[in-house]
Amino acid sequence: MGMGKNERPDPDIQEDWDMMLKINGEKTDKSEDEHEQDENKTRMELYDWLQCIVAAVVFGIFVFVFIGRTIGVDGASMMDTLHDGDRVIMSNLFYTPDNGDIVVFLSPSAAFEGKPLVKRVIAVAGQSIDINFETGDVYVNGEVMYEPYIRERTSYNRHRFHGPVMVPEGHVFVMGDNRNSSTDSRDPLVGMVDMRYILGRVHLIAIPGEDGINPRSWGRIGLVS
């Protein structure tokens, strides 16, 4: 039976009904709060990931520009230290060329079509350089160099180099370790290398090269000297 217009609901029934409305309201409020918390948590996680990605990109750019970058070796002029196809890591951070360093530089000569060259610094500014093509000895400031890294003694380009010569300020004299298969400072095509064209010093072999003569040797990964 339904209630008449003037009849009031049973107090116990009204109390139960009010309690149900209160509980449902609390559940609804709690559900909304939890949903908002989940959204905030998701936003924070996305923000953290975005920070990590941005930091990684910035660090990568910093490393590439200021600390190190990779470059490929083209040719056999630095055998047996570096092979054709090697990927090496070089850096120019706070770098000043010194005797014995392996450097990467650009030659202003059109003969190399803007390709970077990899050679070893033999003499720096203010030092004299001379070569005895009969014995293969290289002299810096009148003293014979100890060169355990060369493939064979120097006999190539004896008609293009006439020493002794003094390395001018701001320049270096470079040669390849594979002395008889290298176009370097002995040849006017390269000559004394202006230090402003030096891209950096080679520090290590990152990925060994592979060609038709020399198979890839992963044991060659590491520092070069």
Side-chain angles (χ1 to χ4, degrees), residues 6-7 40 46 68 85 125-127 133 166 190 193 214 222:
N6 296 324
E7 293 183 16
N40 290 336
L46 290 175
Q127 294 181 328
F133 290 98
M166 185 70 69
V190 177
V193 176
N214 302 286

Side-chain angles (χ1 to χ4, degrees), residues 204-225:
L204 59 87
I205 299 171
I207 303 177
E210 180 180 20
D211 54 35
I213 302 174
N214 302 286
R216 194 188 309 276
S217 173
W218 294 105
R220 295 181 53 246
I221 293 177
L223 297 174
V224 296
S225 59

